[in-house]
Amino acid sequence: MKSVVLTSFLITAFVATGLHAQNATANAIKATPLSNIRVAKGFQVELLYSVPGGEQGSWINLCSDDKGRIYASDQYGGLLRFTPPAPGQSLDASKVEKVPSQIRAVNGMVFAFGALYVGVNDYDKKIAGGLYRISDSNGDEMPDKVELLRDITTRGDHGVHAVLPTEDGKGLYLVTGNGAKPTEVLRSSPVPAIFGEDHLLPRMPDGRGFMRDVMAPGGAIYRVSPDGKKFERFASGFRNIFDAAINHEGDLFTFDADMEYDFNTSWYRPTRICHVVSGAEFGWRNGAGKRPVFYADSLPPVLDVGPGSPTGLTFGYGAKFPAKYQNALFALDWSWGKMYAIHLSPNDSGSSYTATKEEFLSGSPLPVSDAIIHPRDGAMYFTIGGRRVQSGLYRVTYIGSESTAAVEKKPIHSAGRDLRRELEAFYGVENPQAITTAWPHLDNSDRFIRWAARTAIEHQPVASWSVKALAETNPAKQVEALLALARAAGVCPTHRTPDTKAPDTALRARMIDAFLKLDLAALPLPSQLNALRALEITLNRFDRPDEATVTQLIKKLDPLFPAASFEQNWLLCETLVYLQSPTVAAKAMTLIKNTPSQEPQIEYARSLRMLKTGWTRELRTAYLEWFLKAANYRGGASFSKFIEFIRNDALATFTDEEKTELAELIAKKPEQKSTIENFGAMFSGRTPTQWTLEELSDAAKTGLKARDFDNGRKLFGAAACFACHRFGNEGGMTGPDLTGAGGRYSAHDLLDQIINPSKEINEQFAPVIVTKTNGETIAGVVCNLNGDNVMLNTDLANPNQQVEINRKEIKSIEPSKISPMPPMLLSMLKKEEILDLLAYILSGGDKAHAMFKH
């Protein structure tokens, strides 16, 4: 489905915001014009209201009450209310009334149980952050009585956000980011109170100091009683979740993002849609400590979206839209000006979901903040605003030819969902049946069911199941049981106090003995990863064992490293470094040398920084030379500081003799090189070839057989594809994710995209041309906004390369017809190399694919 592409962009909101223009009047204030907005085929957008910032601020939230009236909140002010105008009409400013309640800085709200419940996150600290209830005290249908139900300490953007009714209509969910201090919860909370940092090697905090003092559990979603007295921690491990939504099956979803400062590091995780099951943990930790998706003590997302800044989230239920969009989850991205329609499908067991995304609506700039489906007219209303940018109210309606008849609400029976919820019923309560019921599912092939089974066991007294865990004869079950035992019986070092009981060394010995008896190579990959992670948590929470045991562990793990996958190598490398294996330096440096993308290189180098054994002068030299090369790698705002941290920690492990011998190399300053120079040395001295689409397409018709996987992967790095494109768990975030390219493109179409990148530009990364009043033009992608300023990323290979432009200096913003992707990427490659590269991309990086069979 293609979006309606406008022929041109007119003057943007940054030109038309009259508050900052000369000789402006209130009537001149304009939000982003419709000419700047693209929407899916068959839909239309109306600009209903340009918010006068001086009087009504910048709107970030919407909700409707039982009479169909809409409430809007100013991020730095109070509440307003209005009735939606008739179709085709704009909203009269005189019809927007101020709500008299003494409330401000509302970041989330819902009308429920006869009152307005709001989450307050006040940057100016004029009122307490937390959950409030606002009710009508005098019968005039205007909420005026304000009650603070729970005071929650907040700071910055990442505080108290959305409020929404629970799936059973008996309570509320409160959404909080990692800037909200954890509040007191009931012991019956679905998240067991055993969370920790669980870093086997020291964590590097953010290089710019952001959130470095915030520890587990991070951002959380609470389940709250209507009177605000009962709080349960429903799920945790989030960064800056702003909103959430519930589907017809009663399943909760949210939209989260890692710090953009971490772009192009191994620990960065793309903006993600998460299925928030009871007791979930999604692995946010500060700095470089975030848990990758393959860690067993974290749940994976339903969908990686790409770079973004999540705000509103709502299902299309009740919309007068075609059925596809009534069932869609609409996710708003503030920085990149997008609204996605997320289409969900049950996974194989039905315990969770898979998803695809579709760009439903976009603009440049369009800081979308919230969206609702109105219960009476079936239209979508959305706002732009936040951070004092010009705000506006818009309406989306369907005018196409497809039926908009209401889709019948028909819950889908799912054995997997039923089983997961049966296991979740044991959370927070001591019940002997929990062990009997959950244990058989510890080796379930479905990750969400395994999670539910393990969590149900973790909620039970450790003494009731520890012996069973150690004696389990099914390796796949024992791996999960050992993980549970490490978490439930161990104490996270970060949370230890002077009166904390010392680690149980006898139990540690039995757990490690059980691990040593496992035949790791015979286990399927997920169980191997889980076993290694269980060992890491054991070593972290129970402290380092005696040297005899360390020797046994090294003997067990050394033959497995290096392994076939990056995920295995990640865990093996950091564990062997912790154990101070004498062989890990040579093996890891070989991996660094042969790995074509920077993320795995950074990960191995990050582990090696703590290694003191097994170094030779040649290996130390190679390590120092890697730092000179890595100085030219590109990433987010903290990227260079992380590289500096790794190098400083590494130098601290050098002996005095090594520092003397390598003093010249240690003091050497890096040479400035381009991305191609850094990765593409193999092309040195070659003469470019002007390949045609027809020539390469004909070669691909018969040539995608018996290809060289390793060469294809090496070329993906050498051609700088990794610099912008995500592929699996590697690569940049400023270009389209190519992991699933084989499902979208034929060989001919993919070649066409590479050779003719400007023929059809991916709308998520569509560049613009900004023309300033002085005649200067700047090309880039709008990636952020703040007050009067718009930020453009002008180099997709360097996500930290941004130009800030004041809107008073902008004459126009128009769509660029030139892709930021260079058109001659294949010119330095030989035909056979191009075919290897094509096979690597189209196979999704699957070495077992038929294209690589000889």
Side-chain angles (χ1 to χ4, degrees), residues 14 20 770 772 787-790 804-811:
F14 285 87
H20 300 274
V770 175
K772 300 175 69 174
D788 287 347
N789 298 315
V790 57
E804 184 173 281
I805 309 171
N806 189 287
R807 60 182 169 190
K808 290 179 287 186
E809 301 174 356
I810 297 175
K811 180 181 179 181

Side-chain angles (χ1 to χ4, degrees), residues 173 213 289 301 335 511 530 545 597 641 674 686 703 764 831 849:
Y173 286 120
D213 61 330
S335 293
M511 293 170 65
N530 292 2
S597 63
K641 294 297 294 183
S674 69
R686 291 192 183 185
Q764 184 178 1
K831 184 182 292 184
H849 196 279

Side-chain angles (χ1 to χ4, degrees), residues 1-4 39-43 325 360 398 400 402:
M1 194 282 301
K2 300 291 183 184
S3 295
V4 176
V39 68
K41 184 178 180 180
F43 290 85
Y325 296 102
F360 178 72
Y398 183 70
E402 292 185 51

Side-chain angles (χ1 to χ4, degrees), residues 399-472:
I399 57 173
S401 58
E402 292 185 51
S403 171
T404 59
V407 175
E408 183 181 356
K409 179 180 176 181
K410 187 185 296 183
I412 302 172
H413 174 72
S414 164
R417 186 188 303 111
D418 292 346
L419 174 57
R420 173 173 58 77
R421 289 178 177 171
E422 178 186 357
L423 295 168
E424 290 169 354
F426 292 110
Y427 295 0
V429 294
E430 291 187 17
N431 188 332
Q433 290 300 312
I435 308 302
T436 304
T437 304
W439 208 270
H441 302 291
L442 287 175
D443 63 344
N444 194 289
S445 61
D446 185 284
R447 186 167 175 178
F448 280 77
I449 293 176
R450 288 201 309 274
W451 179 279
R454 176 170 54 79
T455 305
I457 291 167
E458 289 174 344
H459 275 283
Q460 309 308 309
V462 173
S464 68
W465 54 272
S466 59
V467 173
K468 185 176 179 66
L470 294 166
E472 176 59 57

